[in-house]
Amino acid sequence: MYRIKIKDFDLAQIEESGQCFRFIKCDKALILKDYKNDVYRTIVGDRYLEAVNVENDVYDFSCSEAEFNKYWFDYFDLATDYSKFKESINQDDLFLKRAVEYGYGIRILVQDKWEMLVSFIISQRKSIPAIRSCIESLCQAFGQPIYVDGQLAAYSFPSPESFASHDIEELKAHGVGYRDKYIMKLARDVVEGRIDVEGLGQLPAEKATEELLKIFGIGIKVANCVSLFGLHNIDAFPIDVWINRIIFDHYNGHFDTEEYKGYAGVIQQYMFYYVRSEQYRIDYNKA
DNA sequence: TGCCAGGCAGACA
DNA sequence: TGTCTGCATGGC
């Protein structure tokens, strides 16, 4: 176990921010037992981590300090100072001020590129709970079991090889719907070397988006999500139905991302998290 | 039961 | 180039 103090960090907000689908609140913690606060778990590759907020900015993680510094420090983007993003907000922008105050603990996780590609292809025209259950079903069917102290803790995200070795009809059985052909073609293209997923991370952000848009089943919204959450290009600004509503309701149909150039994606996450909350409905008296 | 969801590709003008 | 339409399925 490793205890550390972290600012601008909230496990529940990260879990609910729509950027990650396998970062969840534990029904029953396997490692961090007997805490009064909620324990969260996440999975990267075959690594399993539990985390809990102990008090104020103090957190316990179910790994050693060495493992935390080697793997999880970067995953939680802890080298980045999020307070400077929050301080830069235009003080005349009351909606954004409220959004940032509400989502004060959001960070942009540095997630697996392949997992983000497939996850956001699945995300199109699905609710977040539906995305979660679809991905979980795929992991159980095509991923590898991960054990903690001899207990089955979770399943890894399926590799391109695993998807490619199955029939497209087998994918369909897990709720991917019409996206089956997108996932299967992507998996085969990766396995056969036509798409270099890791290489995308080496490209400049604009070029990476250009390459993402060439992939069958990926349009501008999914490309921006993969860029932001998978390639950690935090200037990417995905526009979905929620962000469109914000732009229409609060910015007269136009939001200028240039004002937050270099970290517009962080601003987008504050907006997205807030607009979907009960607090937003209270603040703006929406039904 | 019906509506909606972190959209996209393909057809058509 | 811009607009319209069909699409699979689960959660609420």
Side-chain angles (χ1 to χ4, degrees), chain A residues 152-168:
Chain A
L152 178 63
Y155 291 84
S156 66
F157 193 83
S159 64
E161 291 77 9
S162 178
F163 280 125
S165 68
H166 289 82
D167 190 88
I168 196 164

Side-chain angles (χ1 to χ4, degrees), chain A residues 27-218:
Chain A
D27 288 333
K28 188 181 176 192
L30 297 177
I31 307 168
L32 301 180
K33 300 172 186 172
D34 304 323
Y35 283 80
K36 63 179 170 57
N37 291 337
D38 291 331
V39 176
Y40 291 79
R41 68 91 161 142
T42 189
I43 301 151
V44 175
D46 59 357
R47 288 192 182 79
Y48 174 93
L49 180 78
E50 289 181 358
V52 60
N53 180 211
V54 181
E55 58 178 20
N56 297 325
D57 293 336
V58 179
Y59 293 83
D60 281 355
F61 293 91
S62 66
C63 61
S64 66
E65 180 177 359
E67 190 185 350
F68 186 87
N69 289 329
K70 187 171 182 182
Y71 300 109
W72 302 105
F73 185 89
D74 287 339
Y75 172 77
F76 289 114
D77 197 24
L78 297 184
T80 302
D81 178 8
Y82 279 69
S83 62
K84 71 179 183 194
F85 299 148
K86 294 188 271 191
E87 287 162 9
S88 77
I89 298 303
N90 181 344
Q91 293 301 301
D92 294 330
D93 187 338
L94 297 182
F95 168 79
L96 192 50
K97 271 183 71 178
R98 283 178 174 167
V100 168
E101 283 165 12
Y102 185 71
Y104 61 91
I106 289 175
R107 284 176 171 268
I108 309 294
L109 300 179
V110 181
Q111 300 182 77
D112 179 76
K113 299 173 185 65
W114 164 250
E115 182 173 336
M116 290 300 99
L117 267 169
V118 177
S119 296
F120 279 98
I121 285 176
I122 290 169
S123 78
Q124 52 183 275
R125 282 180 63 84
K126 268 187 184 291
S127 64
I128 290 175
I131 299 165
R132 286 181 189 273
S133 59
C134 177
I135 290 172
E136 182 56 32
S137 180
L138 289 172
C139 291
Q140 289 188 20
F142 307 122
Q144 296 297 316
I146 298 170
Y147 294 95
V148 171
D149 295 334
Q151 281 189 76
L152 178 63
Y155 291 84
S156 66
F157 193 83
S159 64
E161 291 77 9
S162 178
F163 280 125
S165 68
H166 289 82
D167 190 88
I168 196 164
E169 291 304 318
E170 293 178 75
L171 267 185
K172 249 190 159 43
H174 300 279
V176 298
Y178 63 88
R179 309 158 194 83
D180 56 354
K181 52 190 176 293
Y182 303 153
I183 298 167
M184 194 53 85
K185 182 173 189 316
L186 175 60
R188 287 176 179 158
D189 282 346
V190 171
V191 169
E192 292 165 18
R194 289 185 289 276
I195 291 174
D196 176 13
V197 175
E198 287 307 311
L200 289 170
Q202 310 300 318
L203 299 174
E206 214 167 293
K207 180 67 180 166
T209 303
E210 206 175 289
E211 292 301 310
L212 286 167
L213 288 170
K214 292 178 184 171
I215 297 173
F216 183 49
I218 293 187

Side-chain angles (χ1 to χ4, degrees), chain A residues 1 14 16 21 29 39 56 59 101 125 164 187 190 199 213 230 240 249 258 275 280:
Chain A
M1 197 273 286
I14 292 170
E16 294 166 15
F21 305 109
V39 176
N56 297 325
Y59 293 83
E101 283 165 12
R125 282 180 63 84
V190 171
L213 288 170
D240 65 350
D249 290 346
E258 285 297 309
V275 78
Y280 174 75

